[in-house]
Amino acid sequence: MRYLPLSDEDRAQMLAVIGAKSIDDLYVDVPREAVLKAPVALPAHQSEMEVERLMKPLASCNIPAGKTAFFLGAGAYRHHVPASVDHLIQRSEFLTTYTPYQPEIAQGTLQALYEFQTQVALLLDMEVANASMYDGSTGLHEAAMMASRVTKRSRVVLSGGVHPHYAETVRTACEAHGLEIVTLPAAIDDEAAVLRAMDANTAAVIVQSPNVFGTITDLKPIVAGANAAGALMIASFTEAMAFGLIEPPGAMGADIVVGEGQSIGNALNFGGPYVGLFATKEKYLRQSPGRLAGETVDADGKRGFVLTLSTREQHIRREKATSNICTNSGLCTLAWTIHMTLLGAEGLKRVATLNHENACDLADALAEVPGVEVLTPRFFNEFAIRLPKRADIVLDALMGKGIVGGVPFSRLNPREGLENVLLVCATETNTPEDLNAYAAALKDILQ
Amino acid sequence: MTKKYTKDHEWVRIEGDVAVVGISNFAAEQLGDVVYVELPAIGKAVKQGADMAVVESAKAASDVYAPISGEIVAVNDALNGNPEKVNEGPEGDGWFVKIKVANASELEALMDEAAYADFAKA
Amino acid sequence: MTATVSGNHGLQQAEGLLFDFASLKRTGVDMPAPRGRPDRLGGLGRKVAPPLPGLSEPEAVRHYVRLSQKNYAIDLGLFPLGSCTMKHNPRLNERMARLEGFADLHPLQPMQTVQGALLLMEELSRWLMTLTGMEAVALSPKAGAHGELCGMLAIRAALIARGEGETRKRVLVPESAHGTNPATAAACGFIVDEIHATDDGHVDIEDLKKKLGPDVAGIMLTNPNTCGLFERDIRTIADLIHGAGGYFYCDGANYNAIVGRVRPGDLGVDAMHINLHKTFSTPHGGGGPGAGPTVLSEALAPFAPVPLITLHGENRELIEHSEGTQAFGRMCAFHGQMGMFTRALTYMMSHGSDGLRQVAEDAVLNANYLLARLKLHFSAPFGERPCMHEVLLDDSSIKPKGVETIDMAKALLDEGYHPFTTYFPLVVHGAMLIEPTETEPKRELDRFADVMIALAERVKAGEVEFFKQAPKLTPMRRLDDTRAARQPKLRWRRGENSGAAAKHAAE
């Protein structure tokens, strides 16, 4: 019991001070029949060594991305994270502290959040950003609800390029809240359909760019259309690294920008924890969800930071809060901001360019394979290809050659009959050998 | 005429057919430093006892209820950039809205200054 | 504090904002030069580079190390924040979560390449269901409040399946509840109806009975409750709500007090989230990431959200779509907080069923020991009965002297402690909610109690100014919340004159 400091002697002494005969006396309010007489039927305590012996084999039955030629994106991205990031976030003072409710002894967390908010706002070219959401998908449902509060309307239109899991997350939470969610059919590029789908009760249109097929969309016409219809334009994304190279949504006039920040500072982690980035215009701030760090001064006039505008939040406003969210993604936020600080504008541009070049080279190489068509017209580091047969079958065959070749679109959305479409991603972590091996293997398989 | 007060700590003063409304000195003191006031849109119809505005300090938020039914004909825009006016003069420059009174008899249910002073003390 | 030329105070290094000194030209990451080729951005390339300044690695490391030293942490000392369960975070958990075979897995990898990860999720599920005595668990909720959302959406789905989705809209929530409970109910389209507390800190059964009716969807109840007490009438409450056709959501924030000793399933609970970052020791990380797996009763189990794990021959597979199932939908893009699952399971296996039971007992013992020592010096509104894992005091004995809860909290900062939770639960005025957790040795509890008692003596002695001026020894004195909220400044902007602030910082 290495984590429990009390000795039996301590326990006896403490019970005596309390005036209780046994620990059972302290559980008097528990209905007697509900008290377990013995430990539940699970294994007993084990040493570090024994636990490692159990956990390590579980880890080794998986094939980690780094052990293969790896081309998966579609919402999570494998990038190189500098060693110092993981070292710094494991410092006790960051790892084992709580929400900074006592700002006098939490300036480290608060200042890091303030820097994070600034970096997110600069990256997305938005006026303000919050201290993060759980992830991109839950941030998106919060954005949809926020748009409904701002516009006092209840219909939300989702482009067919929104990641299907994001669309399902939005539908699940928002329909319960009474919103009507209209998801357009899957489409590589559906600007016209989005514009057509707006009506007088539309609170927001949600367009993901780069979208799930990798397509980059010019958001300006959609912003214009949405604003003319009295709706907000919500720009969504799953690959934050893209904004090192492509025009950010804020520069195109988006009202809310929300997406996944995992690709900066955070490992793949089989889907979580990740970090949702959330930014908006100042005029909508009071309707926005999530924590905010703000600048102020202390009693001596020194600059410092506090959590602020918390009257929007559940612990004060209860059922009238802008969200039920009670945490942010603290440590993932810290990893993001440290990685971004290490990159700076120069590093970000360079790594983003490497991503794009690798993806372009891969697209060129795959397009050379007979029967393969690259579907995505404009992209950052991922794109869709159409294969002459089912993508899941091709993926299996590629696995046999040590290549994890992509995500079959039908895994994300089995309803659209796009069984032959494969979503492919290349990042700076892919070598030229990886790219060549992929094209050669695919050629082999399709012959 | 003189001021009347509600149990939710709003005050109302009739000027012709318009009621000027704000929160009481007592309420402002309880709330502490006001940091934000959310006011209704002009033209909005309000019902006596229904929430119509929100007043916030750094750590608390309170709904402000209409002391009388009618239509919002003016709001105190000065509070938008200067919420501290609520603390400086809750029953003066820190007024919230003006309501065109629909039914003056509703005033009868409210407390006069003396009754409110007793109520706030209790 | 004494002024220094540098602005540093010994080990406390003054540190400006990143933007005060970082450069747009500097980077701490070396990458190969791009090869140079025509882009495929379709004319949508970024027109203006983001003005994100960078630092070299040594500068960045120093910046964040200096910031870290302005934080309090569990690793440094007692962190008795009630309702937050700030226990020791074992480092074995961290080591396991970072194994390449867990950390470097993409959520959409082919299922045959992630069998160990699915097995781990299944094993975690088995532990959680066995400990709680519940039928099913949804692992995907990303935090406690997200777990509440999951549980309430399951209740909503069950009501819809019964044809009562439109008629049962009212959710009962005790006034002592965490703010997330009413906020969650409202997010799911329910109407919140408060139930009163009795004078001894429990749910008022008579008031509950009055509020039951055919329009009630359920109750959201924290147990042990936010006053630090076990709801002794919990079985009656469960029977009443079930008798009225509603469901019982239990907020599991305080599960640490009963883990391994009481199974919520035996109390009539239909859904409960489990904060892995509280009971199961995953780090709080300065405000997340959390994890909120939600256990479900037989009545709600069919409605659990996707993804679900299923056995397909020898292989485990994920069901990722709700079509053709009764699943109410999806909570988030992927499978939840895998990094936290690894840590929590490591912790559970370390403690085992016997150790987890001891966790609950020691947490309760530590709290009652503090209660016994402190109630002689502070007002303890429910102090006549044993508490669970947290001690509720209030400021009624010190307020007449001019010292409030907030002042007591700030004085503790100077003594080198993170304070208790202040002003929560709302049903007790001036609440001080103290949760020591089981990982504190007796000598740390005694030292903390001695400090609290000495502070109470200073109140008695009328040293009001001492409290009002606190803290004096922390990196910052009291911060101006009003100023922050009146003119919100939520980011740095280029060209802003931070000279004045920097000057202050150096003073």
Side-chain angles (χ1 to χ4, degrees):
Chain A
M1 305 274 183
R2 58 192 174 275
Y3 306 140
L4 297 176
L6 295 186
S7 66
D8 283 341
E9 198 187 355
D10 291 331
R11 292 183 183 112
Q13 274 180 20
M14 291 162 76
L15 282 170
V17 171
I18 295 163
K21 280 201 273 307
S22 77
I23 191 77
D24 292 334
D25 288 359
L26 304 180
Y27 282 91
V28 280
D29 284 338
V30 181
R32 183 170 291 192
E33 64 279 13
V35 177
L36 297 171
K37 304 284 178 293
V40 293
L42 288 165
H45 67 278
Q46 297 181 79
S47 67
E48 272 208 10
M49 204 163 60
E50 289 167 304
V51 173
E52 282 192 292
R53 271 186 206 139
L54 291 167
M55 292 296 281
K56 281 184 173 169
L58 277 181
S60 25
C61 335
N62 303 312
I63 301 177
K67 290 264 192 304
T68 63
F70 194 80
F71 297 95
L72 266 59
Y77 303 87
R78 188 164 191 276
H79 291 292
H80 179 78
V81 179
S84 52
V85 173
D86 198 43
H87 165 76
L88 287 166
I89 68 167
Q90 285 198 75
R91 281 190 65 87
S92 292
E93 301 90 336
F94 287 133
L95 184 75
T96 78
T97 191
Y98 196 67
T99 301
Y101 287 137
Q102 296 290 339
E104 298 88 347
I105 53 167
Q107 284 300 304
T109 297
L110 284 160
Q111 183 172 330
L113 286 178
Y114 186 81
E115 293 178 354
F116 168 81
Q117 289 172 186
T118 303
Q119 288 171 323
V120 172
L122 292 172
L123 180 71
L124 303 176
D125 202 0
M126 294 294 287
E127 289 172 353
V128 280
N130 76 11
S132 79
M133 311 300 287
Y134 305 134
D135 72 356
S137 63
T138 57
L140 191 57
H141 93 61
E142 296 278 8
M145 297 227 218
M146 171 178 158
S148 167
R149 287 191 296 274
V150 168
T151 60
K152 302 194 167 52
R153 296 176 177 186
S154 61
R155 184 171 175 271
V156 176
V157 174
L158 274 74
S159 148
V162 173
H163 193 295
H165 287 181
Y166 281 49
E168 182 67 1
T169 303
V170 171
R171 190 197 61 75
T172 300
C174 292
E175 282 188 356
H177 195 62
L179 305 193
E180 181 196 352
I181 302 298
V182 179
T183 305
L184 299 176
I188 302 276
D189 214 349
D190 68 350
E191 180 192 319
V194 168
L195 287 168
R196 272 199 309 277
M198 274 183 257
D199 69 10
N201 188 35
T202 302
V205 291
I206 300 178
V207 176
Q208 181 181 321
S209 176
N211 72 16
V212 71
F213 300 101
T215 311
I216 309 169
T217 298
D218 181 1
L219 301 176
K220 287 195 292 293
I222 298 166
V223 169
N227 291 355
L232 300 194
M233 198 277 141
I234 299 174
S236 162
F237 60 89
T238 59
E239 171 51 302
M241 192 73 86
F243 303 115
L245 207 59
I246 73 170
E247 189 71 339
M252 296 186 273
D255 294 298
I256 304 173
V257 183
V258 56
E260 182 53 65
Q262 170 270 328
S263 64
I264 296 170
N266 287 276
L268 289 170
N269 279 326
F270 200 47
Y274 289 173
V275 47
L277 310 184
F278 193 106
T280 187
K281 295 180 170 168
E282 256 164 15
K283 62 180 170 182
Y284 302 133
L285 199 54
R286 296 264 169 192
Q287 293 299 337
S288 70
R291 285 183 182 146
L292 292 162
E295 188 183 309
T296 187
V297 293
D298 78 351
D300 294 335
K302 273 192 343 191
R303 174 172 69 185
F305 304 91
V306 291
L307 291 179
T308 191
L309 300 183
S310 44
T311 48
R312 300 163 300 116
E313 295 182 66
Q314 47 73 29
H315 61 281
I316 293 176
R317 196 59 72 80
R318 301 178 79 83
E319 68 268 28
K320 289 183 176 170
T322 56
S323 164
N324 77 335
I325 195 166
C326 182
T327 51
N328 57 342
S329 201
L331 207 66
C332 300
T333 304
L334 183 69
W336 194 98
T337 196
I338 296 171
H339 191 185
M340 187 56 89
T341 299
L342 284 163
L343 285 169
E346 287 285 307
L348 178 68
K349 181 159 191 196
R350 177 167 280 206
V351 68
T353 305
L354 289 170
N355 273 261
H356 186 55
E357 289 192 340
N358 273 352
C360 289
D361 287 354
L362 181 63
D364 288 348
L366 297 184
E368 296 285 309
V369 178
V372 175
E373 183 191 355
V374 174
L375 300 174
T376 310
R378 310 167 295 280
F379 57 83
F380 169 61
N381 68 357
E382 58 187 327
F383 53 88
I385 57 176
R386 194 194 320 275
L387 297 164
K389 51 174 132 173
R390 288 177 59 108
D392 52 353
I393 293 171
V394 174
L395 193 69
D396 275 350
L398 284 166
M399 268 308 299
K401 294 171 181 286
I403 290 159
V404 188
V407 180
F409 182 75
S410 62
R411 175 163 175 188
L412 301 178
N413 180 349
R415 300 173 297 274
E416 299 268 1
L418 296 171
E419 285 85 5
N420 293 7
V421 173
L422 186 68
L423 308 177
V424 181
C425 173
T427 72
E428 80 283 2
T429 62
N430 292 110
T431 62
E433 292 74 31
D434 286 347
L435 308 185
N436 293 337
Y438 190 178
L442 190 59
K443 196 170 171 189
D444 240 26
I445 289 162
L446 295 180
Q447 251 170 15
Chain B
M1 76 161 255
T2 50
K3 253 183 244 168
K4 292 264 198 168
Y5 294 84
T6 70
K7 288 184 171 159
D8 300 309
H9 308 286
E10 292 90 11
W11 57 265
V12 53
R13 193 179 63 233
I14 301 294
E15 295 176 353
D17 60 350
V18 169
V20 187
V21 176
I23 65 167
S24 70
N25 290 329
F26 174 80
E29 201 173 300
Q30 289 292 306
L31 199 59
D33 292 339
V34 172
V35 300
Y36 182 69
V37 178
E38 186 184 307
L39 295 168
I42 290 174
K44 188 184 164 156
V46 294
K47 268 192 82 158
Q48 186 178 37
D51 53 336
M52 61 161 198
V54 182
V55 57
E56 298 181 1
S57 67
K59 303 280 185 197
S62 300
D63 286 323
V64 178
Y65 303 95
I68 191 163
S69 307
E71 182 193 323
I72 304 287
V73 291
V75 299
N76 188 357
D77 284 325
L79 301 184
N80 280 332
N82 303 89
E84 61 275 13
K85 281 188 185 294
V86 177
N87 295 109
E88 289 162 10
E91 302 195 18
D93 284 350
W95 62 276
F96 278 40
V97 299
K98 294 183 181 177
I99 299 173
K100 185 165 183 204
V101 178
N103 178 4
S105 70
E106 285 178 352
L107 284 171
E108 287 162 23
L110 306 184
M111 290 174 274
D112 63 22
E113 213 150 337
Y116 176 71
D118 287 344
F119 171 77
K121 232 182 282 166
Chain C
M1 256 187 275
T2 326
T4 56
V5 178
S6 60
N8 303 335
H9 292 104
L11 290 179
Q12 271 290 329
Q13 304 271 324
E15 184 67 359
L17 271 179
L18 163 67
F19 309 99
D20 294 341
F21 58 89
S23 155
L24 288 175
K25 292 285 159 213
R26 202 169 307 143
T27 180
V29 179
D30 291 328
M31 280 277 161
R35 298 177 290 281
R37 55 155 294 157
D39 75 53
R40 295 180 70 160
L41 302 173
L44 291 169
R46 186 156 190 149
K47 294 185 184 68
V48 183
L52 288 159
L55 292 175
S56 66
E57 180 171 316
E59 292 171 292
V61 168
R62 269 198 193 145
H63 180 60
Y64 292 103
V65 168
R66 286 173 179 178
L67 289 188
S68 76
Q69 295 192 321
K70 301 179 198 313
N71 274 359
Y72 192 85
I74 317 167
D75 283 355
L76 189 65
L78 180 70
F79 209 128
L81 200 54
S83 177
C84 301
T85 314
M86 297 298 283
K87 61 169 73 177
H88 172 65
N89 301 146
R91 290 314 194 278
L92 178 64
N93 303 355
E94 298 302 310
R95 185 191 279 176
M96 293 301 101
R98 283 171 173 79
L99 290 175
E100 197 187 15
F102 295 133
D104 195 21
L105 292 186
H106 189 287
L108 298 172
Q109 272 182 227
M111 310 251 185
Q112 71 267 31
T113 67
V114 294
Q115 288 298 307
L118 297 180
L119 197 59
L120 183 141
M121 289 165 69
E122 203 176 81
E123 187 65 0
L124 177 73
S125 301
R126 183 172 77 95
W127 279 76
L128 293 175
M129 291 187 296
T130 307
L131 284 166
T132 57
M134 300 285 274
E135 184 72 13
V137 60
L139 290 182
S140 58
K142 296 217 149 219
H146 205 219
E148 289 179 32
L149 189 65
C150 177
M152 293 310 286
L153 288 173
I155 289 174
R156 179 176 175 271
L159 290 171
I160 291 172
R162 277 163 44 180
E164 295 184 281
E166 291 306 313
T167 51
R168 290 188 179 266
K169 282 293 187 194
R170 202 152 50 88
V171 169
L172 307 178
V173 181
E175 56 194 2
S176 61
H178 295 114
T180 49
N181 295 174
T184 300
C188 297
F190 292 115
I191 297 151
V192 176
D193 198 359
E194 281 202 341
I195 324 171
H196 298 306
T198 58
D199 290 340
D200 62 353
H202 291 274
V203 168
D204 183 339
I205 299 289
E206 290 314 309
D207 192 44
L208 169 64
K209 283 181 186 161
K210 263 186 257 163
K211 285 177 177 156
L212 290 172
D215 63 332
V216 166
I219 188 170
M220 294 183 84
L221 184 69
T222 307
N223 188 44
N225 70 24
T226 58
C227 297
L229 307 173
F230 194 94
E231 290 287 355
R232 55 176 177 255
D233 297 322
I234 187 137
R235 297 282 291 250
T236 310
I237 294 169
D239 290 344
L240 284 170
I241 198 80
H242 288 149
Y247 295 99
F248 180 1
Y249 185 88
C250 181
D251 181 325
N254 295 336
Y255 183 50
N256 201 49
I258 58 170
V259 59
R261 265 194 81 97
V262 181
R263 297 185 305 178
D266 296 337
L267 302 172
V269 168
D270 290 300
M272 182 180 92
H273 74 264
I274 298 163
N275 305 86
L276 296 185
H277 48 288
K278 295 182 181 176
T279 311
F280 298 111
S281 83
T282 71
H284 282 77
T294 302
V295 287
L296 300 169
S297 66
E298 202 177 344
L300 298 183
F303 306 101
V306 293
L308 303 162
I309 299 174
T310 162
L311 208 56
H312 195 84
E314 291 277 282
N315 281 329
R316 278 161 189 82
E317 287 195 356
L318 287 166
I319 299 173
E320 295 178 295
H321 300 282
S322 50
E323 287 87 352
T325 74
Q326 284 182 280
F328 69 69
R330 171 178 276 283
M331 293 303 296
C332 59
F334 300 118
H335 329 310
Q337 310 286 58
M338 178 66 177
M340 300 302 146
F341 302 162
T342 322
R343 290 172 174 88
L345 185 62
T346 301
Y347 175 80
M348 288 176 182
M349 295 198 308
S350 295
H351 268 306
S353 60
D354 52 338
L356 288 171
R357 190 180 165 93
Q358 192 68 52
V359 161
E361 292 180 2
D362 284 359
V364 169
L365 181 62
N366 276 356
N368 277 283
Y369 181 67
L370 280 183
L371 173 64
R373 289 209 54 195
L374 294 177
K375 71 179 177 187
L376 308 172
H377 307 270
F378 287 87
S379 158
F382 313 121
E384 293 319 304
R385 293 187 74 77
C387 59
M388 286 279 97
H389 66 317
E390 46 194 359
V391 186
L392 182 59
L393 306 178
D394 67 34
D395 64 1
S396 59
S397 65
I398 55 174
K399 208 171 172 180
K401 297 274 188 186
V403 177
E404 295 180 42
T405 289
I406 182 79
D407 306 315
M408 188 59 68
K410 299 303 181 192
L412 275 175
L413 298 180
D414 276 340
E415 292 288 346
Y417 285 102
H418 194 287
F420 34 72
T421 291
T422 56
Y423 300 103
F424 182 86
L426 307 175
V427 289
V428 171
H429 292 288
M432 303 183 239
L433 190 63
I434 306 173
E435 182 181 356
T437 85
E438 73 282 2
T439 58
E440 293 304 325
K442 178 169 176 294
R443 104 192 112 75
E444 290 276 8
L445 300 176
D446 279 326
R447 188 163 159 252
F448 176 72
D450 291 345
V451 168
M452 286 286 286
I453 293 163
L455 290 174
E457 293 300 323
R458 295 189 84 145
V459 177
K460 263 195 212 147
E463 296 180 43
V464 177
E465 261 323 279
F466 165 81
F467 287 93
K468 295 293 173 190
Q469 291 301 318
K472 286 181 166 169
L473 305 177
T474 46
M476 284 269 153
R477 304 278 311 282
R478 285 196 203 193
L479 287 118
D480 188 345
D481 284 315
T482 299
R483 176 184 163 130
R486 274 188 183 157
Q487 287 109 27
K489 186 167 180 310
L490 307 175
R491 57 172 285 195
W492 172 90
R493 280 175 200 280
R494 198 138 61 122
E496 85 181 31
N497 180 5
S498 55
K503 182 171 158 282
H504 277 302
E507 271 165 10

Short mmCIF file of all heavy atoms in Angstrom, two decimals, chain C residues 56 334 355 418 421 502 506:
data_model
loop_
_atom_site.label_atom_id
_atom_site.label_comp_id
_atom_site.label_asym_id
_atom_site.label_seq_id
_atom_site.Cartn_x
_atom_site.Cartn_y
_atom_site.Cartn_z
N SER C 56 14.27 29.98 -28.28
CA SER C 56 15.16 28.83 -28.37
C SER C 56 14.83 27.89 -27.21
O SER C 56 14.17 28.30 -26.25
CB SER C 56 16.61 29.29 -28.27
OG SER C 56 16.82 29.83 -26.98
N PHE C 334 -13.83 10.66 -30.57
CA PHE C 334 -13.20 9.34 -30.52
C PHE C 334 -13.65 8.54 -29.31
O PHE C 334 -14.84 8.56 -29.00
CB PHE C 334 -11.68 9.49 -30.66
CG PHE C 334 -11.30 10.16 -31.97
CD1 PHE C 334 -10.64 11.39 -31.99
CD2 PHE C 334 -11.67 9.59 -33.19
CE1 PHE C 334 -10.31 12.00 -33.20
CE2 PHE C 334 -11.36 10.21 -34.40
CZ PHE C 334 -10.68 11.42 -34.41
N GLY C 355 -6.93 -2.49 -1.39
CA GLY C 355 -6.34 -1.16 -1.23
C GLY C 355 -7.34 -0.05 -1.50
O GLY C 355 -7.32 1.00 -0.84
N HIS C 418 -2.41 25.52 0.20
CA HIS C 418 -3.55 25.85 -0.64
C HIS C 418 -4.76 25.80 0.27
O HIS C 418 -4.90 24.88 1.07
CB HIS C 418 -3.72 24.84 -1.79
CG HIS C 418 -4.65 25.33 -2.85
ND1 HIS C 418 -6.01 25.40 -2.66
CD2 HIS C 418 -4.43 25.83 -4.07
CE1 HIS C 418 -6.58 25.91 -3.74
NE2 HIS C 418 -5.64 26.18 -4.62
N THR C 421 -11.94 24.70 -0.19
CA THR C 421 -12.92 25.29 -1.10
C THR C 421 -13.71 26.34 -0.34
O THR C 421 -14.17 26.09 0.78
CB THR C 421 -13.85 24.20 -1.64
OG1 THR C 421 -13.09 23.37 -2.51
CG2 THR C 421 -15.02 24.78 -2.43
N ALA C 502 5.96 45.82 -16.74
CA ALA C 502 7.27 45.20 -16.50
C ALA C 502 7.99 45.92 -15.36
O ALA C 502 8.64 45.31 -14.53
CB ALA C 502 8.09 45.24 -17.78
N ALA C 506 9.20 44.42 -11.71
CA ALA C 506 10.58 44.45 -11.24
C ALA C 506 10.69 45.09 -9.86
O ALA C 506 11.72 44.98 -9.20
CB ALA C 506 11.44 45.22 -12.25
#
